[in-house]
Amino acid sequence: MIYLQLFISFFQVGLFSIGGGYAALPLIRNQIVGQHSWMTMSEFTNLITIAEMTPGPIAVNSATFVGIRIAGIGGAFAATLGCIFPCLIIVPFLAFLYYHYKGASLIQSVLSGLRPAVVALIASAGLSIAQTALFAEKDCNLQNIDWVGAVLLLTALVILRKRKSNPILIMALCGVSYLGIHLL
C-alpha cells in the first residue's frame, strides 16, 4: 500500500510540476510534509539540500530519497517511477503539438501565461525554505531569527552577485562557517 501511496503522490508532483524542479518544490513539500507527514519541514529542507547537491533533476532526486527513506528500495522505485511517468507521456505529446503548431499565437500565449505561475511557484519554494532556515520556530518574528544564518545568507548573496564566485564553494564556506560558529 505504501508503494502505491508513494507512486500516486509523486505522480501528482510529476503531473503538475510545470516549470521544472524548483517549481515542483511546493508540490513536493505539500505531499511529503503536509498530506502524508512523511517528513518534518526541517527534514524537507535537508532533503532539498541533498537533492540539489546530487546529480540529476531535483524532483526525481527528492522522490528517490523520500521513497528509500519511507519504504526502502521498492519505495525509491515506486516514487521515482511516479515522478517521471507523467513526463514519459506528456513530453512526447507536447513536443508533437509544439512542432506542428509552434507559430500559432495561441501556443505562444499559453506559454507566456505559464511564466508568471512558474515564477510564483519558485518564489514560494524559496520563501518557505528561507523561513525554515532563518527562523527557529514557525513564528516569523525577529526574536526567533537565526542571526548567524541571516548574516551568512546575506554575505553569500552579496559575494555571488558582486564577484560571480562559484556557488558550490560559497555554500561549502557558509556551511563550514556556520558549523564553526556554533561549535565555538
Side-chain angles (χ1 to χ4, degrees):
M1 187 64 179
I2 190 67
Y3 298 127
L4 184 60
Q5 281 183 325
L6 284 165
F7 180 85
I8 290 171
S9 292
F10 282 98
F11 181 85
Q12 291 173 1
V13 169
L15 187 62
F16 297 113
S17 60
I18 297 169
Y22 294 110
L25 291 179
L27 300 172
I28 296 169
R29 184 190 69 227
N30 182 47
Q31 288 294 325
I32 66 175
V33 176
Q35 286 187 357
H36 298 289
S37 299
W38 288 328
M39 292 183 167
T40 66
M41 190 59 191
S42 178
E43 291 171 325
F44 174 74
T45 304
N46 293 337
L47 162 74
I48 298 307
T49 303
I50 292 168
E52 180 67 33
M53 293 186 326
T54 309
I58 194 167
V60 174
N61 291 345
S62 298
T64 306
F65 184 78
V66 170
I68 207 161
R69 183 159 182 253
I70 301 303
I73 298 294
F77 181 77
T80 304
L81 183 63
C83 189
I84 65 170
F85 191 71
C87 296
L88 296 175
I89 296 167
I90 294 171
V91 169
F93 176 70
L94 290 177
F96 173 79
L97 287 178
Y98 184 74
Y99 180 74
H100 285 351
Y101 302 106
K102 63 183 168 191
S105 63
L106 178 63
I107 297 294
Q108 296 304 319
S109 298
V110 167
L111 293 175
S112 295
L114 287 175
R115 283 188 196 114
V118 170
V119 170
L121 286 171
I122 293 170
S124 169
L127 289 174
S128 67
I129 289 171
Q131 177 184 357
T132 302
L134 294 178
F135 294 95
E137 301 173 15
K138 284 195 176 238
D139 188 19
C140 295
N141 64 42
L142 292 178
Q143 294 172 344
N144 294 329
I145 196 164
D146 177 3
W147 289 104
V148 173
V151 168
L152 285 173
L153 172 68
L154 291 174
T155 304
L157 286 174
V158 168
I159 291 171
L160 288 170
R161 296 292 295 166
K162 297 288 182 184
R163 298 202 178 167
K164 306 292 184 203
S165 298
N166 183 342
I168 295 172
L169 176 64
I170 298 300
M171 285 190 318
L173 288 173
C174 285
V176 169
S177 299
Y178 191 86
L179 185 62
I181 289 169
H182 283 291
L183 287 178
L184 292 177

